[in-house]
Amino acid sequence: MTRILAYRFSAFGDVAMTAPVFREFLEQNPDVEIIMVSRKNFESLFSDIPNVTFKGINLDEYKGIFGLRRLANELAGEFNPDFIANLHDVIRTKILDRIYRRKGFKVFKINKGKEEKEELTDVWNLNKVQLRKTVERYADVFREMGFNVELSHKLRPAVGQKSGIGLAPFAQHKGKMLPLEKSYELAKILAQRNTVYFFGGGKKETETLEKWENEIPNTKSLSGKLTLSEELEKISELELMISMDSANMHLASLMGTRCISIWGSTHPYAGFLGFGQSENDVVQVTDLTCRPCSVFGDKECYRGDWACLEELNIQKIVKAANS
């Protein structure tokens, strides 16, 4: 059995994107085991994938170079891997790579395409093109090790009756998030025909979504009420998920649920469309030459009016949901 030690520490959506890649890679290479090292609370993302052992860590316990050296020694001692897969490529994981190379391990890392993404998000670049999908970039790390892997880019819906629509109106950055009044109106329209379940997390989001539940008939807020594994189970039972370009889109992909995704200052061209999701289910303002201006939605709007979100017509989302 070949053993690969892989690490990716954040963000939630990026870690979730590794799971369908692992599943298909391991199905095609059954004599391989992956040790996935990430934040403890991400464990449920990998719980049903054979040949994945999840190692949850608290990064606060491994601060600085000495802390990372201790982490590297602990992981090498516990798992004795044949290969190291750096699926993150940030300063912390670069240090781990260096330590492992000195110990004689074979280390492979993701090519995140930083320069291409900078060119893509240059607002004066009018020739925008689709970049390599992030899930393929993950798979490339295993290909470089000498393994074959062909990703299907297809959803695997859960068996059983599906009902209801999930709506996840929040995102980490403003550039990814539909104005809340638009999401509220969208929920009102959708709830006329379907039960709508609200997804969110954190105190402020939970308060907002509980208020919506009280004001809009046929809706239910699940924010703050479910563990990650329960949330994944619920998403698998939905007929449809509606999400910003954020983690819930990737959770829907993981559970085989169709997702209509809403994009503002970011764009599927950067490679972050959920695994197996259809480009026909992408909702965005298509005639703004400044889009995308950001890979992660964390930049201020250079025009100052957030037209990519303010001008988005929710009827586009309703039409997609009814198709």
Side-chain angles (χ1 to χ4, degrees):
M1 188 71 110
T2 303
R3 185 173 277 175
I4 300 170
L5 181 74
Y7 34 78
R8 169 104 215 188
F9 299 119
S10 65
F12 185 38
D14 293 322
V15 175
M17 286 179 91
T18 65
V21 178
F22 287 5
R23 181 180 280 130
E24 296 198 354
F25 167 62
L26 292 168
E27 284 172 353
Q28 294 167 41
N29 298 273
D31 54 347
V32 176
E33 178 189 8
I34 293 177
I35 313 299
M36 179 58 173
V37 185
S38 194
R39 296 174 189 269
K40 283 181 178 175
N41 50 326
F42 296 165
E43 183 167 8
S44 298
L45 298 173
F46 304 93
S47 59
D48 69 335
I49 306 175
N51 286 9
V52 173
T53 300
F54 185 83
K55 175 71 175 177
I57 61 162
N58 179 357
L59 288 168
D60 290 337
E61 294 172 8
Y62 300 99
K63 286 183 173 171
I65 288 176
F66 293 111
L68 289 171
R69 187 176 292 157
R70 184 163 50 84
L71 174 62
N73 288 336
E74 286 175 13
L75 294 172
E78 185 176 352
F79 299 109
N80 190 26
D82 300 288
F83 296 102
I84 306 290
N86 177 355
L87 303 178
H88 203 168
D89 198 28
V90 291
I91 290 171
R92 182 185 281 128
T93 60
K94 286 178 197 286
I95 293 168
L96 286 173
D97 288 357
R98 194 175 302 160
I99 295 165
Y100 282 125
R101 282 197 188 98
R102 281 185 187 152
K103 289 176 178 291
F105 287 100
K106 296 170 187 166
V107 178
F108 298 83
K109 69 172 185 178
I110 188 171
N111 172 9
K112 294 201 285 195
K114 205 160 174 252
E115 287 174 11
E116 304 162 63
K117 287 174 182 172
E118 280 174 11
E119 189 180 340
L120 177 70
T121 54
D122 178 351
V123 293
W124 304 111
N125 169 22
L126 302 183
N127 185 27
K128 314 279 191 183
V129 293
Q130 175 71 53
L131 303 184
R132 192 157 181 74
K133 291 179 177 180
T134 300
V135 288
E136 288 289 353
R137 292 184 189 274
Y138 286 144
D140 285 341
V141 179
F142 302 119
R143 292 176 183 128
E144 279 181 44
M145 292 174 186
F147 297 102
N148 289 323
V149 52
E150 290 292 326
L151 299 182
S152 69
H153 298 287
K154 289 195 170 81
L155 292 175
R156 298 186 185 190
V159 291
Q161 194 66 33
K162 286 173 166 272
S163 68
I165 293 177
L167 175 60
F170 294 97
Q172 193 175 356
H173 302 294
K174 183 176 178 178
K176 285 184 173 188
M177 203 169 110
L178 201 61
L180 281 179
E181 56 273 19
K182 284 181 182 268
S183 289
Y184 182 87
E185 286 305 312
L186 175 64
K188 273 171 51 176
I189 295 167
L190 294 171
Q192 290 169 11
R193 292 174 61 174
N194 303 273
T195 304
V196 176
Y197 297 93
F198 298 133
F199 290 81
K203 189 167 180 285
K204 205 173 169 192
E205 292 182 13
T206 299
E207 285 172 2
T208 299
L209 295 176
E210 283 177 355
K211 185 169 176 283
W212 290 12
E213 178 186 22
N214 291 331
E215 293 173 1
I216 309 172
N218 208 20
T219 65
K220 184 169 177 52
S221 173
L222 303 175
S223 183
K225 293 177 182 168
L226 305 178
T227 64
L228 177 55
S229 58
E230 288 168 341
E231 190 171 322
L232 290 167
E233 181 67 27
K234 183 62 193 174
I235 290 171
S236 75
E237 296 165 359
L238 294 172
E239 201 176 321
L240 174 70
M241 186 72 166
I242 299 175
S243 170
M244 308 301 120
D245 163 27
S246 65
N248 280 284
M249 169 177 60
H250 302 301
L251 298 185
S253 284
L254 186 54
M255 303 317 293
T257 296
R258 177 188 166 212
C259 181
I260 293 171
S261 53
I262 298 157
W263 302 69
S265 66
T266 61
H267 197 291
Y269 277 1
F272 291 102
L273 183 62
F275 184 91
Q277 299 296 346
S278 168
E279 287 174 17
N280 296 332
D281 286 331
V282 168
V283 178
Q284 57 190 339
V285 178
T286 53
D287 57 356
L288 284 170
T289 56
C290 54
R291 287 189 65 243
C293 66
S294 173
V295 174
F296 305 111
D298 53 349
K299 292 181 184 171
E300 279 299 307
C301 175
Y302 99 104
R303 289 170 43 134
D305 62 355
W306 301 97
C308 56
L309 293 159
E310 294 291 344
E311 291 180 9
L312 198 145
N313 186 341
I314 59 168
Q315 285 302 326
K316 273 188 174 181
I317 307 166
V318 174
K319 189 178 173 189
N322 290 333
S323 65

